[in-house]
PDB file of all heavy atoms in Angstrom:
ATOM      1  N   PHE A 438    -119.342 -13.764 -79.026  1.00 86.00           N
ATOM      2  CA  PHE A 438    -119.680 -13.281 -77.689  1.00 86.00           C
ATOM      3  C   PHE A 438    -120.571 -12.037 -77.678  1.00 86.00           C
ATOM      4  O   PHE A 438    -121.540 -11.962 -76.907  1.00 86.00           O
ATOM      5  CB  PHE A 438    -118.391 -13.047 -76.906  1.00 86.00           C
ATOM      6  CG  PHE A 438    -118.573 -12.683 -75.461  1.00 86.00           C
ATOM      7  CD1 PHE A 438    -119.689 -13.113 -74.743  1.00 86.00           C
ATOM      8  CD2 PHE A 438    -117.623 -11.921 -74.803  1.00 86.00           C
ATOM      9  CE1 PHE A 438    -119.852 -12.779 -73.405  1.00 86.00           C
ATOM     10  CE2 PHE A 438    -117.777 -11.580 -73.472  1.00 86.00           C
ATOM     11  CZ  PHE A 438    -118.896 -12.011 -72.780  1.00 86.00           C
ATOM     12  N   PRO A 439    -120.297 -10.997 -78.513  1.00 83.00           N
ATOM     13  CA  PRO A 439    -121.138  -9.791 -78.459  1.00 83.00           C
ATOM     14  C   PRO A 439    -122.611 -10.051 -78.751  1.00 83.00           C
ATOM     15  O   PRO A 439    -123.462  -9.266 -78.345  1.00 83.00           O
ATOM     16  CB  PRO A 439    -120.526  -8.890 -79.539  1.00 83.00           C
ATOM     17  CG  PRO A 439    -119.132  -9.365 -79.690  1.00 83.00           C
ATOM     18  CD  PRO A 439    -119.177 -10.842 -79.456  1.00 83.00           C
ATOM     19  N   LYS A 440    -122.919 -11.139 -79.469  1.00 81.00           N
ATOM     20  CA  LYS A 440    -124.319 -11.431 -79.779  1.00 81.00           C
ATOM     21  C   LYS A 440    -125.151 -11.606 -78.507  1.00 81.00           C
ATOM     22  O   LYS A 440    -126.363 -11.348 -78.512  1.00 81.00           O
ATOM     23  CB  LYS A 440    -124.411 -12.692 -80.642  1.00 81.00           C
ATOM     24  CG  LYS A 440    -124.264 -12.442 -82.135  1.00 81.00           C
ATOM     25  CD  LYS A 440    -124.812 -13.599 -82.933  1.00 81.00           C
ATOM     26  CE  LYS A 440    -124.963 -13.219 -84.395  1.00 81.00           C
ATOM     27  NZ  LYS A 440    -125.634 -14.262 -85.188  1.00 81.00           N
ATOM     28  N   TYR A 441    -124.507 -12.045 -77.437  1.00 85.00           N
ATOM     29  CA  TYR A 441    -125.221 -12.200 -76.163  1.00 85.00           C
ATOM     30  C   TYR A 441    -125.810 -10.867 -75.727  1.00 85.00           C
ATOM     31  O   TYR A 441    -126.960 -10.790 -75.282  1.00 85.00           O
ATOM     32  CB  TYR A 441    -124.254 -12.734 -75.101  1.00 85.00           C
ATOM     33  CG  TYR A 441    -124.836 -12.736 -73.705  1.00 85.00           C
ATOM     34  CD1 TYR A 441    -125.710 -13.738 -73.283  1.00 85.00           C
ATOM     35  CD2 TYR A 441    -124.498 -11.724 -72.802  1.00 85.00           C
ATOM     36  CE1 TYR A 441    -126.248 -13.717 -72.001  1.00 85.00           C
ATOM     37  CE2 TYR A 441    -125.027 -11.702 -71.522  1.00 85.00           C
ATOM     38  CZ  TYR A 441    -125.904 -12.707 -71.120  1.00 85.00           C
ATOM     39  OH  TYR A 441    -126.431 -12.685 -69.866  1.00 85.00           O
ATOM     40  N   PHE A 442    -125.030  -9.790 -75.861  1.00 87.00           N
ATOM     41  CA  PHE A 442    -125.495  -8.465 -75.458  1.00 87.00           C
ATOM     42  C   PHE A 442    -126.395  -7.845 -76.520  1.00 87.00           C
ATOM     43  O   PHE A 442    -127.369  -7.157 -76.198  1.00 87.00           O
ATOM     44  CB  PHE A 442    -124.297  -7.554 -75.184  1.00 87.00           C
ATOM     45  CG  PHE A 442    -123.434  -8.022 -74.046  1.00 87.00           C
ATOM     46  CD1 PHE A 442    -122.199  -8.606 -74.293  1.00 87.00           C
ATOM     47  CD2 PHE A 442    -123.862  -7.903 -72.738  1.00 87.00           C
ATOM     48  CE1 PHE A 442    -121.401  -9.052 -73.244  1.00 87.00           C
ATOM     49  CE2 PHE A 442    -123.082  -8.342 -71.682  1.00 87.00           C
ATOM     50  CZ  PHE A 442    -121.848  -8.924 -71.941  1.00 87.00           C
ATOM     51  N   ILE A 443    -126.075  -8.089 -77.800  1.00 82.00           N
ATOM     52  CA  ILE A 443    -126.898  -7.549 -78.885  1.00 82.00           C
ATOM     53  C   ILE A 443    -128.311  -8.122 -78.813  1.00 82.00           C
ATOM     54  O   ILE A 443    -129.301  -7.413 -79.015  1.00 82.00           O
ATOM     55  CB  ILE A 443    -126.248  -7.845 -80.252  1.00 82.00           C
ATOM     56  CG1 ILE A 443    -124.920  -7.062 -80.375  1.00 82.00           C
ATOM     57  CG2 ILE A 443    -127.179  -7.457 -81.396  1.00 82.00           C
ATOM     58  CD1 ILE A 443    -124.085  -7.454 -81.572  1.00 82.00           C
ATOM     59  N   ASN A 444    -128.400  -9.410 -78.498  1.00 85.00           N
ATOM     60  CA  ASN A 444    -129.718 -10.041 -78.374  1.00 85.00           C
ATOM     61  C   ASN A 444    -130.513  -9.511 -77.191  1.00 85.00           C
ATOM     62  O   ASN A 444    -131.730  -9.687 -77.115  1.00 85.00           O
ATOM     63  CB  ASN A 444    -129.565 -11.564 -78.253  1.00 85.00           C
ATOM     64  CG  ASN A 444    -129.101 -12.204 -79.550  1.00 85.00           C
ATOM     65  OD1 ASN A 444    -129.261 -11.631 -80.626  1.00 85.00           O
ATOM     66  ND2 ASN A 444    -128.512 -13.392 -79.457  1.00 85.00           N
ATOM     67  N   LYS A 445    -129.831  -8.877 -76.254  1.00 86.00           N
ATOM     68  CA  LYS A 445    -130.509  -8.263 -75.108  1.00 86.00           C
ATOM     69  C   LYS A 445    -130.954  -6.835 -75.403  1.00 86.00           C
ATOM     70  O   LYS A 445    -131.476  -6.145 -74.522  1.00 86.00           O
ATOM     71  CB  LYS A 445    -129.586  -8.281 -73.885  1.00 86.00           C
ATOM     72  CG  LYS A 445    -129.442  -9.663 -73.248  1.00 86.00           C
ATOM     73  CD  LYS A 445    -128.575  -9.587 -72.005  1.00 86.00           C
ATOM     74  CE  LYS A 445    -128.580 -10.919 -71.259  1.00 86.00           C
ATOM     75  NZ  LYS A 445    -129.884 -11.203 -70.632  1.00 86.00           N
ATOM     76  N   GLY A 446    -130.690  -6.380 -76.635  1.00 84.00           N
ATOM     77  CA  GLY A 446    -131.175  -5.065 -77.035  1.00 84.00           C
ATOM     78  C   GLY A 446    -130.119  -3.996 -77.182  1.00 84.00           C
ATOM     79  O   GLY A 446    -130.436  -2.859 -77.539  1.00 84.00           O
ATOM     80  N   TYR A 447    -128.848  -4.324 -76.913  1.00 83.00           N
ATOM     81  CA  TYR A 447    -127.778  -3.342 -77.095  1.00 83.00           C
ATOM     82  C   TYR A 447    -127.503  -3.139 -78.587  1.00 83.00           C
ATOM     83  O   TYR A 447    -127.696  -4.058 -79.391  1.00 83.00           O
ATOM     84  CB  TYR A 447    -126.490  -3.810 -76.412  1.00 83.00           C
ATOM     85  CG  TYR A 447    -126.546  -3.792 -74.905  1.00 83.00           C
ATOM     86  CD1 TYR A 447    -126.955  -4.912 -74.184  1.00 83.00           C
ATOM     87  CD2 TYR A 447    -126.192  -2.651 -74.192  1.00 83.00           C
ATOM     88  CE1 TYR A 447    -127.020  -4.905 -72.807  1.00 83.00           C
ATOM     89  CE2 TYR A 447    -126.240  -2.628 -72.805  1.00 83.00           C
ATOM     90  CZ  TYR A 447    -126.659  -3.757 -72.120  1.00 83.00           C
ATOM     91  OH  TYR A 447    -126.717  -3.740 -70.751  1.00 83.00           O
ATOM     92  N   SER A 448    -127.023  -1.950 -78.954  1.00 79.00           N
ATOM     93  CA  SER A 448    -126.577  -1.733 -80.327  1.00 79.00           C
ATOM     94  C   SER A 448    -125.341  -2.601 -80.570  1.00 79.00           C
ATOM     95  O   SER A 448    -124.662  -3.012 -79.616  1.00 79.00           O
ATOM     96  CB  SER A 448    -126.213  -0.261 -80.537  1.00 79.00           C
ATOM     97  OG  SER A 448    -125.015   0.066 -79.841  1.00 79.00           O
ATOM     98  N   PRO A 449    -125.037  -2.914 -81.836  1.00 79.00           N
ATOM     99  CA  PRO A 449    -123.837  -3.734 -82.097  1.00 79.00           C
ATOM    100  C   PRO A 449    -122.576  -3.176 -81.439  1.00 79.00           C
ATOM    101  O   PRO A 449    -121.797  -3.922 -80.840  1.00 79.00           O
ATOM    102  CB  PRO A 449    -123.732  -3.715 -83.622  1.00 79.00           C
ATOM    103  CG  PRO A 449    -125.146  -3.585 -84.077  1.00 79.00           C
ATOM    104  CD  PRO A 449    -125.792  -2.671 -83.072  1.00 79.00           C
ATOM    105  N   TYR A 450    -122.376  -1.847 -81.510  1.00 80.00           N
ATOM    106  CA  TYR A 450    -121.165  -1.267 -80.927  1.00 80.00           C
ATOM    107  C   TYR A 450    -121.156  -1.380 -79.407  1.00 80.00           C
ATOM    108  O   TYR A 450    -120.150  -1.783 -78.804  1.00 80.00           O
ATOM    109  CB  TYR A 450    -121.035   0.202 -81.327  1.00 80.00           C
ATOM    110  CG  TYR A 450    -119.832   0.886 -80.691  1.00 80.00           C
ATOM    111  CD1 TYR A 450    -118.564   0.731 -81.233  1.00 80.00           C
ATOM    112  CD2 TYR A 450    -119.977   1.661 -79.545  1.00 80.00           C
ATOM    113  CE1 TYR A 450    -117.459   1.337 -80.640  1.00 80.00           C
ATOM    114  CE2 TYR A 450    -118.884   2.268 -78.947  1.00 80.00           C
ATOM    115  CZ  TYR A 450    -117.625   2.101 -79.507  1.00 80.00           C
ATOM    116  OH  TYR A 450    -116.538   2.693 -78.906  1.00 80.00           O
ATOM    117  N   ASP A 451    -122.271  -1.035 -78.767  1.00 84.00           N
ATOM    118  CA  ASP A 451    -122.325  -1.084 -77.301  1.00 84.00           C
ATOM    119  C   ASP A 451    -122.192  -2.521 -76.789  1.00 84.00           C
ATOM    120  O   ASP A 451    -121.517  -2.766 -75.780  1.00 84.00           O
ATOM    121  CB  ASP A 451    -123.620  -0.457 -76.801  1.00 84.00           C
ATOM    122  CG  ASP A 451    -123.685   1.039 -77.078  1.00 84.00           C
ATOM    123  OD1 ASP A 451    -122.615   1.662 -77.135  1.00 84.00           O
ATOM    124  OD2 ASP A 451    -124.796   1.573 -77.260  1.00 84.00           O
ATOM    125  N   GLY A 452    -122.815  -3.460 -77.478  1.00 87.00           N
ATOM    126  CA  GLY A 452    -122.656  -4.865 -77.102  1.00 87.00           C
ATOM    127  C   GLY A 452    -121.238  -5.346 -77.276  1.00 87.00           C
ATOM    128  O   GLY A 452    -120.697  -6.103 -76.459  1.00 87.00           O
ATOM    129  N   ARG A 453    -120.605  -4.867 -78.340  1.00 87.00           N
ATOM    130  CA  ARG A 453    -119.220  -5.246 -78.608  1.00 87.00           C
ATOM    131  C   ARG A 453    -118.282  -4.703 -77.534  1.00 87.00           C
ATOM    132  O   ARG A 453    -117.352  -5.382 -77.082  1.00 87.00           O
ATOM    133  CB  ARG A 453    -118.814  -4.722 -79.981  1.00 87.00           C
ATOM    134  CG  ARG A 453    -117.849  -5.649 -80.719  1.00 87.00           C
ATOM    135  CD  ARG A 453    -117.595  -5.215 -82.132  1.00 87.00           C
ATOM    136  NE  ARG A 453    -118.773  -4.946 -82.918  1.00 87.00           N
ATOM    137  CZ  ARG A 453    -119.612  -5.859 -83.363  1.00 87.00           C
ATOM    138  NH1 ARG A 453    -119.406  -7.130 -83.068  1.00 87.00           N
ATOM    139  NH2 ARG A 453    -120.651  -5.522 -84.099  1.00 87.00           N
ATOM    140  N   MET A 454    -118.507  -3.469 -77.122  1.00 89.00           N
ATOM    141  CA  MET A 454    -117.645  -2.875 -76.105  1.00 89.00           C
ATOM    142  C   MET A 454    -117.785  -3.579 -74.758  1.00 89.00           C
ATOM    143  O   MET A 454    -116.809  -3.735 -74.014  1.00 89.00           O
ATOM    144  CB  MET A 454    -117.943  -1.381 -75.964  1.00 89.00           C
ATOM    145  CG  MET A 454    -117.448  -0.537 -77.136  1.00 89.00           C
ATOM    146  SD  MET A 454    -115.655  -0.616 -77.386  1.00 89.00           S
ATOM    147  CE  MET A 454    -115.056   0.253 -75.945  1.00 89.00           C
ATOM    148  N   ARG A 455    -118.994  -3.999 -74.413  1.00 92.00           N
ATOM    149  CA  ARG A 455    -119.176  -4.759 -73.177  1.00 92.00           C
ATOM    150  C   ARG A 455    -118.408  -6.085 -73.247  1.00 92.00           C
ATOM    151  O   ARG A 455    -117.760  -6.487 -72.281  1.00 92.00           O
ATOM    152  CB  ARG A 455    -120.666  -5.019 -72.934  1.00 92.00           C
ATOM    153  CG  ARG A 455    -121.399  -3.813 -72.383  1.00 92.00           C
ATOM    154  CD  ARG A 455    -122.878  -4.071 -72.173  1.00 92.00           C
ATOM    155  NE  ARG A 455    -123.485  -2.943 -71.458  1.00 92.00           N
ATOM    156  CZ  ARG A 455    -123.717  -2.913 -70.158  1.00 92.00           C
ATOM    157  NH1 ARG A 455    -123.417  -3.956 -69.414  1.00 92.00           N
ATOM    158  NH2 ARG A 455    -124.252  -1.847 -69.593  1.00 92.00           N
ATOM    159  N   ALA A 456    -118.504  -6.736 -74.384  1.00 92.00           N
ATOM    160  CA  ALA A 456    -117.775  -7.992 -74.557  1.00 92.00           C
ATOM    161  C   ALA A 456    -116.268  -7.768 -74.496  1.00 92.00           C
ATOM    162  O   ALA A 456    -115.527  -8.551 -73.889  1.00 92.00           O
ATOM    163  CB  ALA A 456    -118.162  -8.633 -75.890  1.00 92.00           C
ATOM    164  N   MET A 457    -115.799  -6.678 -75.105  1.00 93.00           N
ATOM    165  CA  MET A 457    -114.365  -6.400 -75.142  1.00 93.00           C
ATOM    166  C   MET A 457    -113.800  -6.109 -73.752  1.00 93.00           C
ATOM    167  O   MET A 457    -112.635  -6.413 -73.470  1.00 93.00           O
ATOM    168  CB  MET A 457    -114.078  -5.236 -76.105  1.00 93.00           C
ATOM    169  CG  MET A 457    -114.245  -5.627 -77.573  1.00 93.00           C
ATOM    170  SD  MET A 457    -114.156  -4.219 -78.715  1.00 93.00           S
ATOM    171  CE  MET A 457    -112.413  -3.794 -78.586  1.00 93.00           C
ATOM    172  N   PHE A 458    -114.612  -5.515 -72.879  1.00 95.00           N
ATOM    173  CA  PHE A 458    -114.134  -5.282 -71.513  1.00 95.00           C
ATOM    174  C   PHE A 458    -113.867  -6.603 -70.801  1.00 95.00           C
ATOM    175  O   PHE A 458    -112.832  -6.769 -70.138  1.00 95.00           O
ATOM    176  CB  PHE A 458    -115.153  -4.462 -70.719  1.00 95.00           C
ATOM    177  CG  PHE A 458    -114.783  -4.313 -69.268  1.00 95.00           C
ATOM    178  CD1 PHE A 458    -113.772  -3.459 -68.880  1.00 95.00           C
ATOM    179  CD2 PHE A 458    -115.438  -5.057 -68.292  1.00 95.00           C
ATOM    180  CE1 PHE A 458    -113.405  -3.337 -67.540  1.00 95.00           C
ATOM    181  CE2 PHE A 458    -115.090  -4.939 -66.958  1.00 95.00           C
ATOM    182  CZ  PHE A 458    -114.068  -4.076 -66.585  1.00 95.00           C
ATOM    183  N   ILE A 459    -114.784  -7.545 -70.938  1.00 95.00           N
ATOM    184  CA  ILE A 459    -114.593  -8.854 -70.300  1.00 95.00           C
ATOM    185  C   ILE A 459    -113.391  -9.566 -70.911  1.00 95.00           C
ATOM    186  O   ILE A 459    -112.563 -10.159 -70.202  1.00 95.00           O
ATOM    187  CB  ILE A 459    -115.874  -9.699 -70.449  1.00 95.00           C
ATOM    188  CG1 ILE A 459    -117.022  -9.030 -69.685  1.00 95.00           C
ATOM    189  CG2 ILE A 459    -115.648 -11.121 -69.943  1.00 95.00           C
ATOM    190  CD1 ILE A 459    -118.380  -9.653 -69.919  1.00 95.00           C
ATOM    191  N   ILE A 460    -113.262  -9.478 -72.231  1.00 95.00           N
ATOM    192  CA  ILE A 460    -112.119 -10.092 -72.917  1.00 95.00           C
ATOM    193  C   ILE A 460    -110.808  -9.506 -72.417  1.00 95.00           C
ATOM    194  O   ILE A 460    -109.803 -10.210 -72.256  1.00 95.00           O
ATOM    195  CB  ILE A 460    -112.265  -9.909 -74.439  1.00 95.00           C
ATOM    196  CG1 ILE A 460    -113.429 -10.759 -74.960  1.00 95.00           C
ATOM    197  CG2 ILE A 460    -110.968 -10.267 -75.172  1.00 95.00           C
ATOM    198  CD1 ILE A 460    -113.877 -10.407 -76.370  1.00 95.00           C
ATOM    199  N   ALA A 461    -110.786  -8.185 -72.153  1.00 96.00           N
ATOM    200  CA  ALA A 461    -109.562  -7.500 -71.734  1.00 96.00           C
ATOM    201  C   ALA A 461    -109.054  -7.961 -70.375  1.00 96.00           C
ATOM    202  O   ALA A 461    -107.883  -7.717 -70.027  1.00 96.00           O
ATOM    203  CB  ALA A 461    -109.795  -5.990 -71.706  1.00 96.00           C
ATOM    204  N   LEU A 462    -109.884  -8.643 -69.605  1.00 97.00           N
ATOM    205  CA  LEU A 462    -109.454  -9.127 -68.287  1.00 97.00           C
ATOM    206  C   LEU A 462    -108.602 -10.396 -68.386  1.00 97.00           C
ATOM    207  O   LEU A 462    -107.759 -10.638 -67.525  1.00 97.00           O
ATOM    208  CB  LEU A 462    -110.687  -9.399 -67.411  1.00 97.00           C
ATOM    209  CG  LEU A 462    -111.606  -8.202 -67.116  1.00 97.00           C
ATOM    210  CD1 LEU A 462    -112.834  -8.676 -66.347  1.00 97.00           C
ATOM    211  CD2 LEU A 462    -110.857  -7.125 -66.346  1.00 97.00           C
TER     212      LEU A 462
END
Side-chain angles (χ1 to χ4, degrees):
F438 186 28
K440 274 199 167 186
Y441 171 79
F442 297 106
I443 294 170
N444 290 338
K445 286 183 172 290
Y447 290 91
S448 71
Y450 177 81
D451 293 332
R453 215 173 310 289
M454 288 299 291
R455 282 179 172 262
M457 288 171 70
F458 174 75
I459 296 172
I460 291 166
L462 299 175

